[in-house]
Amino acid sequence: MKRTKTSCKLLCGLMTAAMIMLTSCSARTDTPKAAADGAASEKHESQVFAMDTVMMLTAYGENGSAALDRAEEIIYALEEDLDPTNPEGSIYAINTGAGSYVPVSENCIEVMLTAMDKWGETGGAVDPGLFPIIKAWGFTLGEYRVPGQTEINGLLADKNTEGILVDEKSGSVYIPQRMEISLGAVGKGYTAQKALEAMAAAGVESAIVSLGGNVQTLGDTKPNGAKWQVAVTDPNDTGAYVGILSIGEAAVVTSGGYQRYFEQDGMTYIHIIDPETGYPVDNDLLSITVVTADGAEADALSTSLFVMGAEGALEHYRAVGGFELVLITEENKIIVTPGLADCFEERGGGYVYEYPAE
Ligand code: AMP
Ligand code: MG
């Protein structure tokens, strides 16, 4: 585990406690700001607190307000459905019905298919079967602790992700007994995808959502023809940015240890778990940002590529493709893959920027 220079244990505890006390809510501030070029530029904004994070939604055009309503509905519906602690939700039903096929929502089937697909593609680096281990480290409730090796070994022995079956035809999911699943690594990206699909169906052509570390856009440009600008957070100074990406229609998803962690006895334990060891990941990456078309895939990839470390992530990039990356390493290197080189604007911060040819 990493040695830490300063202690922010108390601060992290307070922040987490405050977040748990908050329930889902939304603040609509969408007084349309009509621009000189008319209704197409009307900007509607809404701020939602759901899935333990602040979500910012922006939709342009005269259908913007109705589109935000649809997006909020889908966000709250998915929050309930995918929350493993909600007895009304699909994931709770799957976990309490371990050992038999459990009927679930269409959304749950869809997100499970993405999660299992990426589990296979990444050699198990993103693993929906980690929930008991994530709970053991206290990341679900913010009651952090370091589990003993025997406890971790027992939980790893019960993890049997190979045995999970998603039956699209009957709309049901089977997990082996003694297993529990969660979709924390994929759910927000899937929700961003669905929120934008709902906005498009409501007649919006330009929109952007930011769900914690998950940003996604609808439309190649803003109504004024400018590209969307998405900042990449500086993991060493989370109020600052290491660069700005100017993108078209895409999902931009970041995973990083700085997003959630705790400290104990001078060690830092981050919220992303290595499925092989059951321990928080401790490699050369501070964060990884994935840019690709689909929000759920981007989210699943960001978590799994973080687990792989810089070299593993770049190897996967070269072997599989279909996405682009910004990697930030412990040696203060920022590696930008070729498809982003022309749309990444450096912001300094003591980093060395690298643009590998492939
Ligand atoms: P993300 O922020 O998308 O990288 O997802 C991290 C969240 O997913 C964590 O807070 C855990 O709830 C869960 N998680 C952690 N490690 C993994 C993993 N290797 N595979 C699947 N889910 C994970
Ligand atoms: Mg993820």
Side-chain angles (χ1 to χ4, degrees), residues 34-67:
D37 49 351
S41 294
E42 274 181 19
K43 186 178 183 183
H44 303 261
E45 289 174 300
S46 156
Q47 191 171 313
V48 173
F49 187 85
M51 300 182 171
D52 256 356
T53 197
V54 176
M55 304 183 171
M56 317 286 286
L57 318 177
T58 304
Y60 292 88
E62 58 187 349
N63 298 319
S65 189

PDB file of all heavy atoms in Angstrom, residues 34-67:
ATOM      1  N   ALA A  34     -31.903  32.822 -23.345  1.00  0.00           N
ATOM      2  CA  ALA A  34     -32.003  32.933 -24.805  1.00  0.00           C
ATOM      3  C   ALA A  34     -30.824  33.724 -25.339  1.00  0.00           C
ATOM      4  O   ALA A  34     -30.512  34.800 -24.846  1.00  0.00           O
ATOM      5  CB  ALA A  34     -33.301  33.623 -25.176  1.00  0.00           C
ATOM      6  N   ALA A  35     -30.146  33.158 -26.320  1.00  0.00           N
ATOM      7  CA  ALA A  35     -28.995  33.842 -26.906  1.00  0.00           C
ATOM      8  C   ALA A  35     -29.429  34.578 -28.168  1.00  0.00           C
ATOM      9  O   ALA A  35     -30.568  34.442 -28.623  1.00  0.00           O
ATOM     10  CB  ALA A  35     -27.910  32.830 -27.247  1.00  0.00           C
ATOM     11  N   ALA A  36     -28.519  35.372 -28.729  1.00  0.00           N
ATOM     12  CA  ALA A  36     -28.832  36.193 -29.895  1.00  0.00           C
ATOM     13  C   ALA A  36     -29.329  35.336 -31.061  1.00  0.00           C
ATOM     14  O   ALA A  36     -30.174  35.762 -31.836  1.00  0.00           O
ATOM     15  CB  ALA A  36     -27.588  36.962 -30.318  1.00  0.00           C
ATOM     16  N   ASP A  37     -28.835  34.073 -31.142  1.00  0.00           N
ATOM     17  CA  ASP A  37     -29.243  33.249 -32.278  1.00  0.00           C
ATOM     18  C   ASP A  37     -30.517  32.436 -32.013  1.00  0.00           C
ATOM     19  O   ASP A  37     -30.820  31.484 -32.704  1.00  0.00           O
ATOM     20  CB  ASP A  37     -28.093  32.330 -32.709  1.00  0.00           C
ATOM     21  CG  ASP A  37     -27.468  31.592 -31.548  1.00  0.00           C
ATOM     22  OD1 ASP A  37     -27.808  31.923 -30.393  1.00  0.00           O
ATOM     23  OD2 ASP A  37     -26.653  30.689 -31.787  1.00  0.00           O
ATOM     24  N   GLY A  38     -31.288  32.814 -30.970  1.00  0.00           N
ATOM     25  CA  GLY A  38     -32.643  32.301 -30.835  1.00  0.00           C
ATOM     26  C   GLY A  38     -32.801  31.051 -30.000  1.00  0.00           C
ATOM     27  O   GLY A  38     -31.921  30.659 -29.255  1.00  0.00           O
ATOM     28  N   ALA A  39     -33.958  30.390 -30.173  1.00  0.00           N
ATOM     29  CA  ALA A  39     -34.372  29.297 -29.298  1.00  0.00           C
ATOM     30  C   ALA A  39     -33.405  28.129 -29.273  1.00  0.00           C
ATOM     31  O   ALA A  39     -33.270  27.456 -28.261  1.00  0.00           O
ATOM     32  CB  ALA A  39     -35.746  28.808 -29.730  1.00  0.00           C
ATOM     33  N   ALA A  40     -32.705  27.882 -30.382  1.00  0.00           N
ATOM     34  CA  ALA A  40     -31.796  26.733 -30.433  1.00  0.00           C
ATOM     35  C   ALA A  40     -30.701  26.857 -29.391  1.00  0.00           C
ATOM     36  O   ALA A  40     -30.106  25.867 -28.985  1.00  0.00           O
ATOM     37  CB  ALA A  40     -31.171  26.617 -31.813  1.00  0.00           C
ATOM     38  N   SER A  41     -30.417  28.064 -28.927  1.00  0.00           N
ATOM     39  CA  SER A  41     -29.351  28.250 -27.949  1.00  0.00           C
ATOM     40  C   SER A  41     -29.859  28.383 -26.521  1.00  0.00           C
ATOM     41  O   SER A  41     -29.067  28.580 -25.622  1.00  0.00           O
ATOM     42  CB  SER A  41     -28.538  29.489 -28.309  1.00  0.00           C
ATOM     43  OG  SER A  41     -27.874  29.263 -29.523  1.00  0.00           O
ATOM     44  N   GLU A  42     -31.173  28.314 -26.328  1.00  0.00           N
ATOM     45  CA  GLU A  42     -31.688  28.369 -24.955  1.00  0.00           C
ATOM     46  C   GLU A  42     -30.977  27.305 -24.126  1.00  0.00           C
ATOM     47  O   GLU A  42     -30.926  26.144 -24.529  1.00  0.00           O
ATOM     48  CB  GLU A  42     -33.183  28.028 -24.943  1.00  0.00           C
ATOM     49  CG  GLU A  42     -34.087  29.181 -25.202  1.00  0.00           C
ATOM     50  CD  GLU A  42     -35.545  28.744 -25.148  1.00  0.00           C
ATOM     51  OE1 GLU A  42     -35.831  27.675 -24.569  1.00  0.00           O
ATOM     52  OE2 GLU A  42     -36.383  29.466 -25.689  1.00  0.00           O
ATOM     53  N   LYS A  43     -30.487  27.729 -22.960  1.00  0.00           N
ATOM     54  CA  LYS A  43     -29.713  26.783 -22.144  1.00  0.00           C
ATOM     55  C   LYS A  43     -30.525  26.442 -20.889  1.00  0.00           C
ATOM     56  O   LYS A  43     -30.940  27.351 -20.157  1.00  0.00           O
ATOM     57  CB  LYS A  43     -28.398  27.441 -21.754  1.00  0.00           C
ATOM     58  CG  LYS A  43     -27.436  26.550 -21.027  1.00  0.00           C
ATOM     59  CD  LYS A  43     -26.155  27.322 -20.758  1.00  0.00           C
ATOM     60  CE  LYS A  43     -25.108  26.479 -20.084  1.00  0.00           C
ATOM     61  NZ  LYS A  43     -23.913  27.262 -19.772  1.00  0.00           N
ATOM     62  N   HIS A  44     -30.745  25.180 -20.650  1.00  0.00           N
ATOM     63  CA  HIS A  44     -31.498  24.726 -19.476  1.00  0.00           C
ATOM     64  C   HIS A  44     -30.556  23.884 -18.623  1.00  0.00           C
ATOM     65  O   HIS A  44     -29.906  22.972 -19.145  1.00  0.00           O
ATOM     66  CB  HIS A  44     -32.690  23.880 -19.897  1.00  0.00           C
ATOM     67  CG  HIS A  44     -33.621  24.582 -20.833  1.00  0.00           C
ATOM     68  ND1 HIS A  44     -34.789  25.177 -20.409  1.00  0.00           N
ATOM     69  CD2 HIS A  44     -33.537  24.798 -22.160  1.00  0.00           C
ATOM     70  CE1 HIS A  44     -35.397  25.723 -21.456  1.00  0.00           C
ATOM     71  NE2 HIS A  44     -34.661  25.509 -22.528  1.00  0.00           N
ATOM     72  N   GLU A  45     -30.528  24.175 -17.314  1.00  0.00           N
ATOM     73  CA  GLU A  45     -29.604  23.434 -16.452  1.00  0.00           C
ATOM     74  C   GLU A  45     -30.318  22.877 -15.238  1.00  0.00           C
ATOM     75  O   GLU A  45     -31.275  23.485 -14.745  1.00  0.00           O
ATOM     76  CB  GLU A  45     -28.481  24.364 -15.974  1.00  0.00           C
ATOM     77  CG  GLU A  45     -27.516  24.739 -17.080  1.00  0.00           C
ATOM     78  CD  GLU A  45     -26.511  25.776 -16.615  1.00  0.00           C
ATOM     79  OE1 GLU A  45     -26.952  26.875 -16.223  1.00  0.00           O
ATOM     80  OE2 GLU A  45     -25.319  25.482 -16.647  1.00  0.00           O
ATOM     81  N   SER A  46     -29.821  21.752 -14.774  1.00  0.00           N
ATOM     82  CA  SER A  46     -30.389  21.168 -13.568  1.00  0.00           C
ATOM     83  C   SER A  46     -29.277  20.474 -12.790  1.00  0.00           C
ATOM     84  O   SER A  46     -28.347  19.924 -13.385  1.00  0.00           O
ATOM     85  CB  SER A  46     -31.477  20.181 -13.989  1.00  0.00           C
ATOM     86  OG  SER A  46     -31.681  19.226 -13.024  1.00  0.00           O
ATOM     87  N   GLN A  47     -29.382  20.557 -11.471  1.00  0.00           N
ATOM     88  CA  GLN A  47     -28.402  19.878 -10.621  1.00  0.00           C
ATOM     89  C   GLN A  47     -29.139  18.831  -9.797  1.00  0.00           C
ATOM     90  O   GLN A  47     -30.142  19.145  -9.163  1.00  0.00           O
ATOM     91  CB  GLN A  47     -27.724  20.893  -9.707  1.00  0.00           C
ATOM     92  CG  GLN A  47     -26.530  20.317  -9.002  1.00  0.00           C
ATOM     93  CD  GLN A  47     -25.744  21.406  -8.270  1.00  0.00           C
ATOM     94  OE1 GLN A  47     -25.464  22.450  -8.829  1.00  0.00           O
ATOM     95  NE2 GLN A  47     -25.419  21.160  -7.030  1.00  0.00           N
ATOM     96  N   VAL A  48     -28.640  17.621  -9.841  1.00  0.00           N
ATOM     97  CA  VAL A  48     -29.318  16.507  -9.184  1.00  0.00           C
ATOM     98  C   VAL A  48     -28.331  15.862  -8.220  1.00  0.00           C
ATOM     99  O   VAL A  48     -27.151  15.724  -8.554  1.00  0.00           O
ATOM    100  CB  VAL A  48     -29.741  15.457 -10.251  1.00  0.00           C
ATOM    101  CG1 VAL A  48     -30.294  14.213  -9.614  1.00  0.00           C
ATOM    102  CG2 VAL A  48     -30.734  16.055 -11.230  1.00  0.00           C
ATOM    103  N   PHE A  49     -28.806  15.474  -7.021  1.00  0.00           N
ATOM    104  CA  PHE A  49     -27.956  14.641  -6.164  1.00  0.00           C
ATOM    105  C   PHE A  49     -28.536  13.235  -6.169  1.00  0.00           C
ATOM    106  O   PHE A  49     -29.651  13.001  -5.702  1.00  0.00           O
ATOM    107  CB  PHE A  49     -27.861  15.186  -4.733  1.00  0.00           C
ATOM    108  CG  PHE A  49     -26.859  14.400  -3.937  1.00  0.00           C
ATOM    109  CD1 PHE A  49     -25.512  14.706  -3.988  1.00  0.00           C
ATOM    110  CD2 PHE A  49     -27.255  13.294  -3.184  1.00  0.00           C
ATOM    111  CE1 PHE A  49     -24.573  13.949  -3.294  1.00  0.00           C
ATOM    112  CE2 PHE A  49     -26.326  12.530  -2.484  1.00  0.00           C
ATOM    113  CZ  PHE A  49     -24.980  12.869  -2.537  1.00  0.00           C
ATOM    114  N   ALA A  50     -27.798  12.319  -6.731  1.00  0.00           N
ATOM    115  CA  ALA A  50     -28.246  10.924  -6.799  1.00  0.00           C
ATOM    116  C   ALA A  50     -27.009  10.043  -6.893  1.00  0.00           C
ATOM    117  O   ALA A  50     -25.935  10.508  -7.265  1.00  0.00           O
ATOM    118  CB  ALA A  50     -29.146  10.705  -8.014  1.00  0.00           C
ATOM    119  N   MET A  51     -27.160   8.760  -6.575  1.00  0.00           N
ATOM    120  CA  MET A  51     -26.051   7.796  -6.629  1.00  0.00           C
ATOM    121  C   MET A  51     -24.842   8.330  -5.874  1.00  0.00           C
ATOM    122  O   MET A  51     -23.695   8.148  -6.322  1.00  0.00           O
ATOM    123  CB  MET A  51     -25.671   7.479  -8.088  1.00  0.00           C
ATOM    124  CG  MET A  51     -26.810   6.874  -8.878  1.00  0.00           C
ATOM    125  SD  MET A  51     -26.335   6.466 -10.573  1.00  0.00           S
ATOM    126  CE  MET A  51     -27.773   5.560 -11.114  1.00  0.00           C
ATOM    127  N   ASP A  52     -25.095   9.018  -4.764  1.00  0.00           N
ATOM    128  CA  ASP A  52     -24.008   9.501  -3.914  1.00  0.00           C
ATOM    129  C   ASP A  52     -23.143  10.560  -4.571  1.00  0.00           C
ATOM    130  O   ASP A  52     -21.989  10.749  -4.166  1.00  0.00           O
ATOM    131  CB  ASP A  52     -23.091   8.334  -3.510  1.00  0.00           C
ATOM    132  CG  ASP A  52     -23.347   7.916  -2.081  1.00  0.00           C
ATOM    133  OD1 ASP A  52     -24.156   8.590  -1.423  1.00  0.00           O
ATOM    134  OD2 ASP A  52     -22.742   6.922  -1.644  1.00  0.00           O
ATOM    135  N   THR A  53     -23.643  11.225  -5.585  1.00  0.00           N
ATOM    136  CA  THR A  53     -22.808  12.213  -6.248  1.00  0.00           C
ATOM    137  C   THR A  53     -23.645  13.368  -6.802  1.00  0.00           C
ATOM    138  O   THR A  53     -24.849  13.233  -6.979  1.00  0.00           O
ATOM    139  CB  THR A  53     -21.974  11.540  -7.376  1.00  0.00           C
ATOM    140  OG1 THR A  53     -20.906  12.398  -7.733  1.00  0.00           O
ATOM    141  CG2 THR A  53     -22.796  11.258  -8.615  1.00  0.00           C
ATOM    142  N   VAL A  54     -22.982  14.487  -7.048  1.00  0.00           N
ATOM    143  CA  VAL A  54     -23.658  15.637  -7.648  1.00  0.00           C
ATOM    144  C   VAL A  54     -23.645  15.463  -9.165  1.00  0.00           C
ATOM    145  O   VAL A  54     -22.612  15.156  -9.748  1.00  0.00           O
ATOM    146  CB  VAL A  54     -22.937  16.952  -7.270  1.00  0.00           C
ATOM    147  CG1 VAL A  54     -23.595  18.141  -7.972  1.00  0.00           C
ATOM    148  CG2 VAL A  54     -22.970  17.141  -5.765  1.00  0.00           C
ATOM    149  N   MET A  55     -24.790  15.647  -9.773  1.00  0.00           N
ATOM    150  CA  MET A  55     -24.907  15.488 -11.223  1.00  0.00           C
ATOM    151  C   MET A  55     -25.348  16.807 -11.835  1.00  0.00           C
ATOM    152  O   MET A  55     -26.281  17.440 -11.345  1.00  0.00           O
ATOM    153  CB  MET A  55     -25.949  14.415 -11.556  1.00  0.00           C
ATOM    154  CG  MET A  55     -25.664  13.081 -10.900  1.00  0.00           C
ATOM    155  SD  MET A  55     -26.868  11.831 -11.387  1.00  0.00           S
ATOM    156  CE  MET A  55     -26.103  10.358 -10.692  1.00  0.00           C
ATOM    157  N   MET A  56     -24.677  17.227 -12.881  1.00  0.00           N
ATOM    158  CA  MET A  56     -25.028  18.468 -13.578  1.00  0.00           C
ATOM    159  C   MET A  56     -25.554  18.107 -14.966  1.00  0.00           C
ATOM    160  O   MET A  56     -24.872  17.380 -15.701  1.00  0.00           O
ATOM    161  CB  MET A  56     -23.791  19.356 -13.752  1.00  0.00           C
ATOM    162  CG  MET A  56     -22.885  19.449 -12.550  1.00  0.00           C
ATOM    163  SD  MET A  56     -23.585  20.468 -11.274  1.00  0.00           S
ATOM    164  CE  MET A  56     -23.322  22.055 -12.015  1.00  0.00           C
ATOM    165  N   LEU A  57     -26.742  18.615 -15.271  1.00  0.00           N
ATOM    166  CA  LEU A  57     -27.339  18.312 -16.573  1.00  0.00           C
ATOM    167  C   LEU A  57     -27.575  19.618 -17.312  1.00  0.00           C
ATOM    168  O   LEU A  57     -28.120  20.564 -16.744  1.00  0.00           O
ATOM    169  CB  LEU A  57     -28.692  17.608 -16.405  1.00  0.00           C
ATOM    170  CG  LEU A  57     -28.820  16.512 -15.329  1.00  0.00           C
ATOM    171  CD1 LEU A  57     -30.252  15.999 -15.275  1.00  0.00           C
ATOM    172  CD2 LEU A  57     -27.870  15.361 -15.620  1.00  0.00           C
ATOM    173  N   THR A  58     -27.187  19.687 -18.562  1.00  0.00           N
ATOM    174  CA  THR A  58     -27.425  20.878 -19.376  1.00  0.00           C
ATOM    175  C   THR A  58     -28.023  20.451 -20.704  1.00  0.00           C
ATOM    176  O   THR A  58     -27.491  19.544 -21.361  1.00  0.00           O
ATOM    177  CB  THR A  58     -26.097  21.626 -19.650  1.00  0.00           C
ATOM    178  OG1 THR A  58     -25.487  21.933 -18.394  1.00  0.00           O
ATOM    179  CG2 THR A  58     -26.341  22.921 -20.414  1.00  0.00           C
ATOM    180  N   ALA A  59     -29.135  21.086 -21.084  1.00  0.00           N
ATOM    181  CA  ALA A  59     -29.763  20.788 -22.377  1.00  0.00           C
ATOM    182  C   ALA A  59     -30.027  22.097 -23.093  1.00  0.00           C
ATOM    183  O   ALA A  59     -30.406  23.094 -22.462  1.00  0.00           O
ATOM    184  CB  ALA A  59     -31.068  20.027 -22.165  1.00  0.00           C
ATOM    185  N   TYR A  60     -29.812  22.111 -24.399  1.00  0.00           N
ATOM    186  CA  TYR A  60     -30.018  23.323 -25.194  1.00  0.00           C
ATOM    187  C   TYR A  60     -31.274  23.190 -26.052  1.00  0.00           C
ATOM    188  O   TYR A  60     -31.631  22.086 -26.464  1.00  0.00           O
ATOM    189  CB  TYR A  60     -28.817  23.571 -26.117  1.00  0.00           C
ATOM    190  CG  TYR A  60     -27.554  23.928 -25.369  1.00  0.00           C
ATOM    191  CD1 TYR A  60     -26.684  22.941 -24.923  1.00  0.00           C
ATOM    192  CD2 TYR A  60     -27.239  25.255 -25.095  1.00  0.00           C
ATOM    193  CE1 TYR A  60     -25.521  23.265 -24.240  1.00  0.00           C
ATOM    194  CE2 TYR A  60     -26.073  25.592 -24.411  1.00  0.00           C
ATOM    195  CZ  TYR A  60     -25.219  24.589 -23.992  1.00  0.00           C
ATOM    196  OH  TYR A  60     -24.075  24.903 -23.323  1.00  0.00           O
ATOM    197  N   GLY A  61     -31.922  24.326 -26.303  1.00  0.00           N
ATOM    198  CA  GLY A  61     -33.046  24.358 -27.231  1.00  0.00           C
ATOM    199  C   GLY A  61     -34.385  24.408 -26.530  1.00  0.00           C
ATOM    200  O   GLY A  61     -34.486  24.248 -25.312  1.00  0.00           O
ATOM    201  N   GLU A  62     -35.433  24.599 -27.331  1.00  0.00           N
ATOM    202  CA  GLU A  62     -36.756  24.845 -26.744  1.00  0.00           C
ATOM    203  C   GLU A  62     -37.328  23.627 -26.030  1.00  0.00           C
ATOM    204  O   GLU A  62     -38.209  23.753 -25.203  1.00  0.00           O
ATOM    205  CB  GLU A  62     -37.726  25.344 -27.824  1.00  0.00           C
ATOM    206  CG  GLU A  62     -37.881  24.384 -28.975  1.00  0.00           C
ATOM    207  CD  GLU A  62     -38.720  24.987 -30.101  1.00  0.00           C
ATOM    208  OE1 GLU A  62     -39.332  26.038 -29.884  1.00  0.00           O
ATOM    209  OE2 GLU A  62     -38.735  24.393 -31.191  1.00  0.00           O
ATOM    210  N   ASN A  63     -36.846  22.424 -26.346  1.00  0.00           N
ATOM    211  CA  ASN A  63     -37.339  21.231 -25.638  1.00  0.00           C
ATOM    212  C   ASN A  63     -36.496  20.907 -24.406  1.00  0.00           C
ATOM    213  O   ASN A  63     -36.668  19.860 -23.778  1.00  0.00           O
ATOM    214  CB  ASN A  63     -37.316  20.021 -26.579  1.00  0.00           C
ATOM    215  CG  ASN A  63     -38.220  20.226 -27.774  1.00  0.00           C
ATOM    216  OD1 ASN A  63     -39.330  20.747 -27.625  1.00  0.00           O
ATOM    217  ND2 ASN A  63     -37.747  19.863 -28.958  1.00  0.00           N
ATOM    218  N   GLY A  64     -35.576  21.793 -24.071  1.00  0.00           N
ATOM    219  CA  GLY A  64     -34.611  21.520 -23.016  1.00  0.00           C
ATOM    220  C   GLY A  64     -35.231  21.211 -21.663  1.00  0.00           C
ATOM    221  O   GLY A  64     -34.812  20.278 -20.974  1.00  0.00           O
ATOM    222  N   SER A  65     -36.252  21.976 -21.289  1.00  0.00           N
ATOM    223  CA  SER A  65     -36.814  21.790 -19.958  1.00  0.00           C
ATOM    224  C   SER A  65     -37.500  20.421 -19.838  1.00  0.00           C
ATOM    225  O   SER A  65     -37.299  19.687 -18.865  1.00  0.00           O
ATOM    226  CB  SER A  65     -37.812  22.924 -19.656  1.00  0.00           C
ATOM    227  OG  SER A  65     -38.205  22.858 -18.316  1.00  0.00           O
ATOM    228  N   ALA A  66     -38.288  20.083 -20.844  1.00  0.00           N
ATOM    229  CA  ALA A  66     -38.963  18.770 -20.827  1.00  0.00           C
ATOM    230  C   ALA A  66     -37.918  17.656 -20.861  1.00  0.00           C
ATOM    231  O   ALA A  66     -38.072  16.617 -20.203  1.00  0.00           O
ATOM    232  CB  ALA A  66     -39.892  18.651 -22.029  1.00  0.00           C
ATOM    233  N   ALA A  67     -36.842  17.872 -21.606  1.00  0.00           N
ATOM    234  CA  ALA A  67     -35.791  16.857 -21.706  1.00  0.00           C
ATOM    235  C   ALA A  67     -35.115  16.640 -20.350  1.00  0.00           C
ATOM    236  O   ALA A  67     -34.812  15.505 -19.969  1.00  0.00           O
ATOM    237  CB  ALA A  67     -34.756  17.273 -22.743  1.00  0.00           C
TER     238      ALA A  67
END
